[in-house]
Amino acid sequence: MSSLEHRQLAPEILDGLAADDPRALAARRDLRRINALMFQARIMASLLQKFVPGSPRRILEIGAGDGSFMLTLARRMAGHWPGVELVMLDRVDLMTAQLRGDFAGLGWTVEGVAADVFDWARKNEGTRFDAITVNLFLHHFDDAELVRLFSLMAPKAPLLLATEPLRAKFALAATRLLPAIGANDVTRNDAAQSVRAGFRGSELSGLWLAANGKPVEERRAGLFSHIFVGASAGHVL
């Protein structure tokens, strides 16, 4: 049996480092480059254009990190979607004045929220959005935690759209090339672990169904990415 047949979760080094740790700062720089190499923003933009009708007013991003992924995405989408109100949720506050200014320059407003995603979801039960986006975040959770997360998130928006690591041999092998882009030890370790904890097939669809949602689309995208789109129970596409 392949070592990638089933998801393998283990703590990632970056999650245990202080926000201002030099190794963490370097790893986040590496992650911005990895997102670009994986075409994550382009993939997410295509999903949003395909599935989110009209011009959404409010978007929630969970696992927002330093905000660079969403800024790249906003630069792609702002011409079609003016005046979006963006809530960026992460357990660590990495929001900067520069980032707020960059979003403002695109006509988007941004609110950074530092909280545990489960705690925030329970305390903001009535909060609603037009869409929820997730990038390289769901793979941090085991299946039971994902069902719980999906159960909390599905009522908050008609759609959840995710771009995650693809669990595949080629993707794992590619992580060994990261020294070529100057990636540090944190990134080299965490990238391989992300692939082992990533997704394939219809795994996320099954978990979304278990949370009483309606899977819409799940597939690999490109060489390294796995995408998932789930609708809330009452949403009609």
Side-chain angles (χ1 to χ4, degrees), residues 101-125:
D102 289 340
F103 278 109
L106 297 170
W108 287 26
T109 59
V110 59
E111 176 189 357
V113 178
D116 173 83
V117 65
F118 294 100
D119 291 343
W120 180 88
R122 283 191 299 267
K123 292 173 183 175
N124 292 271
E125 192 171 319

mmCIF file of all heavy atoms in Angstrom, residues 101-125:
data_model
loop_
_atom_site.group_PDB
_atom_site.id
_atom_site.type_symbol
_atom_site.label_atom_id
_atom_site.label_comp_id
_atom_site.label_asym_id
_atom_site.label_seq_id
_atom_site.Cartn_x
_atom_site.Cartn_y
_atom_site.Cartn_z
ATOM 1 N N GLY A 101 -3.777 49.104 3.391
ATOM 2 C CA GLY A 101 -3.659 50.108 2.346
ATOM 3 C C GLY A 101 -3.720 49.506 0.952
ATOM 4 O O GLY A 101 -4.329 50.080 0.042
ATOM 5 N N ASP A 102 -3.101 48.338 0.789
ATOM 6 C CA ASP A 102 -3.132 47.664 -0.511
ATOM 7 C C ASP A 102 -4.560 47.256 -0.879
ATOM 8 O O ASP A 102 -4.975 47.402 -2.036
ATOM 9 C CB ASP A 102 -2.224 46.433 -0.490
ATOM 10 C CG ASP A 102 -0.747 46.790 -0.467
ATOM 11 O OD1 ASP A 102 -0.404 47.932 -0.841
ATOM 12 O OD2 ASP A 102 0.062 45.928 -0.066
ATOM 13 N N PHE A 103 -5.313 46.739 0.093
ATOM 14 C CA PHE A 103 -6.708 46.383 -0.174
ATOM 15 C C PHE A 103 -7.540 47.637 -0.456
ATOM 16 O O PHE A 103 -8.376 47.648 -1.363
ATOM 17 C CB PHE A 103 -7.306 45.612 1.003
ATOM 18 C CG PHE A 103 -6.979 44.141 1.006
ATOM 19 C CD1 PHE A 103 -6.105 43.613 1.947
ATOM 20 C CD2 PHE A 103 -7.555 43.293 0.075
ATOM 21 C CE1 PHE A 103 -5.799 42.258 1.948
ATOM 22 C CE2 PHE A 103 -7.256 41.935 0.066
ATOM 23 C CZ PHE A 103 -6.373 41.416 1.006
ATOM 24 N N ALA A 104 -7.296 48.689 0.319
ATOM 25 C CA ALA A 104 -8.044 49.933 0.122
ATOM 26 C C ALA A 104 -7.814 50.487 -1.275
ATOM 27 O O ALA A 104 -8.732 51.027 -1.903
ATOM 28 C CB ALA A 104 -7.641 50.955 1.178
ATOM 29 N N GLY A 105 -6.587 50.340 -1.764
ATOM 30 C CA GLY A 105 -6.270 50.803 -3.110
ATOM 31 C C GLY A 105 -7.060 50.068 -4.184
ATOM 32 O O GLY A 105 -7.236 50.578 -5.295
ATOM 33 N N LEU A 106 -7.535 48.869 -3.853
ATOM 34 C CA LEU A 106 -8.356 48.082 -4.774
ATOM 35 C C LEU A 106 -9.847 48.334 -4.562
ATOM 36 O O LEU A 106 -10.678 47.760 -5.273
ATOM 37 C CB LEU A 106 -8.062 46.589 -4.582
ATOM 38 C CG LEU A 106 -6.632 46.133 -4.901
ATOM 39 C CD1 LEU A 106 -6.423 44.698 -4.434
ATOM 40 C CD2 LEU A 106 -6.340 46.262 -6.389
ATOM 41 N N GLY A 107 -10.166 49.150 -3.546
ATOM 42 C CA GLY A 107 -11.568 49.424 -3.248
ATOM 43 C C GLY A 107 -12.205 48.402 -2.330
ATOM 44 O O GLY A 107 -13.427 48.384 -2.170
ATOM 45 N N TRP A 108 -11.398 47.538 -1.724
ATOM 46 C CA TRP A 108 -11.903 46.541 -0.778
ATOM 47 C C TRP A 108 -11.593 46.995 0.644
ATOM 48 O O TRP A 108 -10.565 47.629 0.912
ATOM 49 C CB TRP A 108 -11.245 45.183 -1.010
ATOM 50 C CG TRP A 108 -11.714 44.457 -2.236
ATOM 51 C CD1 TRP A 108 -12.227 45.010 -3.372
ATOM 52 C CD2 TRP A 108 -11.678 43.037 -2.453
ATOM 53 N NE1 TRP A 108 -12.529 44.033 -4.284
ATOM 54 C CE2 TRP A 108 -12.197 42.812 -3.753
ATOM 55 C CE3 TRP A 108 -11.266 41.964 -1.700
ATOM 56 C CZ2 TRP A 108 -12.314 41.543 -4.301
ATOM 57 C CZ3 TRP A 108 -11.371 40.683 -2.239
ATOM 58 C CH2 TRP A 108 -11.898 40.474 -3.527
ATOM 59 N N THR A 109 -12.492 46.663 1.574
ATOM 60 C CA THR A 109 -12.219 46.899 2.987
ATOM 61 C C THR A 109 -11.917 45.564 3.646
ATOM 62 O O THR A 109 -12.462 44.526 3.255
ATOM 63 C CB THR A 109 -13.422 47.549 3.693
ATOM 64 O OG1 THR A 109 -14.572 46.701 3.559
ATOM 65 C CG2 THR A 109 -13.723 48.908 3.109
ATOM 66 N N VAL A 110 -11.040 45.584 4.643
ATOM 67 C CA VAL A 110 -10.596 44.341 5.262
ATOM 68 C C VAL A 110 -10.641 44.461 6.777
ATOM 69 O O VAL A 110 -10.274 45.491 7.346
ATOM 70 C CB VAL A 110 -9.184 43.958 4.770
ATOM 71 C CG1 VAL A 110 -8.169 45.050 5.083
ATOM 72 C CG2 VAL A 110 -8.735 42.633 5.367
ATOM 73 N N GLU A 111 -11.126 43.403 7.410
ATOM 74 C CA GLU A 111 -11.113 43.296 8.869
ATOM 75 C C GLU A 111 -10.320 42.045 9.232
ATOM 76 O O GLU A 111 -10.643 40.944 8.789
ATOM 77 C CB GLU A 111 -12.534 43.172 9.419
ATOM 78 C CG GLU A 111 -12.582 42.950 10.930
ATOM 79 C CD GLU A 111 -13.975 42.618 11.446
ATOM 80 O OE1 GLU A 111 -14.927 42.612 10.642
ATOM 81 O OE2 GLU A 111 -14.092 42.345 12.655
ATOM 82 N N GLY A 112 -9.269 42.229 10.018
ATOM 83 C CA GLY A 112 -8.492 41.092 10.487
ATOM 84 C C GLY A 112 -9.003 40.621 11.832
ATOM 85 O O GLY A 112 -9.212 41.424 12.740
ATOM 86 N N VAL A 113 -9.226 39.324 11.958
ATOM 87 C CA VAL A 113 -9.713 38.742 13.211
ATOM 88 C C VAL A 113 -8.737 37.664 13.648
ATOM 89 O O VAL A 113 -8.469 36.706 12.904
ATOM 90 C CB VAL A 113 -11.122 38.129 13.043
ATOM 91 C CG1 VAL A 113 -11.574 37.483 14.345
ATOM 92 C CG2 VAL A 113 -12.119 39.179 12.576
ATOM 93 N N ALA A 114 -8.194 37.817 14.869
ATOM 94 C CA ALA A 114 -7.294 36.819 15.432
ATOM 95 C C ALA A 114 -8.072 35.961 16.423
ATOM 96 O O ALA A 114 -8.481 36.444 17.482
ATOM 97 C CB ALA A 114 -6.115 37.493 16.130
ATOM 98 N N ALA A 115 -8.320 34.716 16.050
ATOM 99 C CA ALA A 115 -9.108 33.824 16.899
ATOM 100 C C ALA A 115 -8.964 32.395 16.410
ATOM 101 O O ALA A 115 -8.631 32.157 15.243
ATOM 102 C CB ALA A 115 -10.591 34.233 16.881
ATOM 103 N N ASP A 116 -9.214 31.453 17.294
ATOM 104 C CA ASP A 116 -9.355 30.056 16.892
ATOM 105 C C ASP A 116 -10.601 29.938 16.023
ATOM 106 O O ASP A 116 -11.666 30.487 16.361
ATOM 107 C CB ASP A 116 -9.483 29.181 18.138
ATOM 108 C CG ASP A 116 -9.798 27.742 17.800
ATOM 109 O OD1 ASP A 116 -8.871 26.980 17.490
ATOM 110 O OD2 ASP A 116 -10.996 27.385 17.826
ATOM 111 N N VAL A 117 -10.494 29.225 14.918
ATOM 112 C CA VAL A 117 -11.597 29.180 13.958
ATOM 113 C C VAL A 117 -12.862 28.562 14.556
ATOM 114 O O VAL A 117 -13.980 29.013 14.284
ATOM 115 C CB VAL A 117 -11.163 28.432 12.669
ATOM 116 C CG1 VAL A 117 -10.857 26.973 12.936
ATOM 117 C CG2 VAL A 117 -12.210 28.587 11.575
ATOM 118 N N PHE A 118 -12.709 27.566 15.418
ATOM 119 C CA PHE A 118 -13.874 26.929 16.031
ATOM 120 C C PHE A 118 -14.532 27.868 17.041
ATOM 121 O O PHE A 118 -15.763 28.000 17.057
ATOM 122 C CB PHE A 118 -13.473 25.617 16.705
ATOM 123 C CG PHE A 118 -12.998 24.561 15.744
ATOM 124 C CD1 PHE A 118 -11.648 24.323 15.554
ATOM 125 C CD2 PHE A 118 -13.913 23.801 15.025
ATOM 126 C CE1 PHE A 118 -11.211 23.343 14.670
ATOM 127 C CE2 PHE A 118 -13.493 22.822 14.135
ATOM 128 C CZ PHE A 118 -12.134 22.598 13.952
ATOM 129 N N ASP A 119 -13.708 28.528 17.855
ATOM 130 C CA ASP A 119 -14.255 29.473 18.840
ATOM 131 C C ASP A 119 -14.988 30.610 18.140
ATOM 132 O O ASP A 119 -16.097 30.993 18.536
ATOM 133 C CB ASP A 119 -13.130 30.052 19.709
ATOM 134 C CG ASP A 119 -12.528 29.022 20.646
ATOM 135 O OD1 ASP A 119 -13.166 27.968 20.865
ATOM 136 O OD2 ASP A 119 -11.419 29.265 21.148
ATOM 137 N N TRP A 120 -14.356 31.160 17.098
ATOM 138 C CA TRP A 120 -14.975 32.276 16.377
ATOM 139 C C TRP A 120 -16.303 31.848 15.759
ATOM 140 O O TRP A 120 -17.290 32.580 15.831
ATOM 141 C CB TRP A 120 -14.023 32.784 15.298
ATOM 142 C CG TRP A 120 -14.597 33.917 14.517
ATOM 143 C CD1 TRP A 120 -14.518 35.254 14.806
ATOM 144 C CD2 TRP A 120 -15.382 33.823 13.322
ATOM 145 N NE1 TRP A 120 -15.195 35.989 13.869
ATOM 146 C CE2 TRP A 120 -15.743 35.134 12.944
ATOM 147 C CE3 TRP A 120 -15.817 32.760 12.542
ATOM 148 C CZ2 TRP A 120 -16.500 35.406 11.820
ATOM 149 C CZ3 TRP A 120 -16.585 33.021 11.422
ATOM 150 C CH2 TRP A 120 -16.917 34.325 11.068
ATOM 151 N N ALA A 121 -16.330 30.682 15.146
ATOM 152 C CA ALA A 121 -17.545 30.223 14.467
ATOM 153 C C ALA A 121 -18.702 30.048 15.443
ATOM 154 O O ALA A 121 -19.846 30.406 15.138
ATOM 155 C CB ALA A 121 -17.265 28.913 13.738
ATOM 156 N N ARG A 122 -18.403 29.535 16.636
ATOM 157 C CA ARG A 122 -19.461 29.345 17.643
ATOM 158 C C ARG A 122 -19.961 30.690 18.169
ATOM 159 O O ARG A 122 -21.159 30.868 18.385
ATOM 160 C CB ARG A 122 -18.938 28.478 18.792
ATOM 161 C CG ARG A 122 -18.858 26.992 18.471
ATOM 162 C CD ARG A 122 -18.601 26.176 19.729
ATOM 163 N NE ARG A 122 -17.341 26.542 20.361
ATOM 164 C CZ ARG A 122 -16.185 25.925 20.124
ATOM 165 N NH1 ARG A 122 -16.130 24.942 19.258
ATOM 166 N NH2 ARG A 122 -15.083 26.303 20.735
ATOM 167 N N LYS A 123 -19.046 31.636 18.372
ATOM 168 C CA LYS A 123 -19.427 32.933 18.949
ATOM 169 C C LYS A 123 -20.107 33.848 17.934
ATOM 170 O O LYS A 123 -20.730 34.842 18.316
ATOM 171 C CB LYS A 123 -18.176 33.623 19.524
ATOM 172 C CG LYS A 123 -17.604 32.922 20.745
ATOM 173 C CD LYS A 123 -16.285 33.547 21.174
ATOM 174 C CE LYS A 123 -15.683 32.803 22.352
ATOM 175 N NZ LYS A 123 -14.340 33.328 22.704
ATOM 176 N N ASN A 124 -19.971 33.531 16.651
ATOM 177 C CA ASN A 124 -20.555 34.367 15.604
ATOM 178 C C ASN A 124 -21.552 33.552 14.780
ATOM 179 O O ASN A 124 -21.520 33.549 13.549
ATOM 180 C CB ASN A 124 -19.444 34.929 14.707
ATOM 181 C CG ASN A 124 -18.564 35.922 15.424
ATOM 182 O OD1 ASN A 124 -18.840 37.116 15.440
ATOM 183 N ND2 ASN A 124 -17.503 35.433 16.051
ATOM 184 N N GLU A 125 -22.439 32.923 15.503
ATOM 185 C CA GLU A 125 -23.355 31.976 14.872
ATOM 186 C C GLU A 125 -24.228 32.620 13.804
ATOM 187 O O GLU A 125 -24.545 32.018 12.783
ATOM 188 C CB GLU A 125 -24.236 31.322 15.951
ATOM 189 C CG GLU A 125 -25.009 30.129 15.467
ATOM 190 C CD GLU A 125 -25.679 29.385 16.618
ATOM 191 O OE1 GLU A 125 -25.058 29.222 17.679
ATOM 192 O OE2 GLU A 125 -26.840 28.983 16.435
#
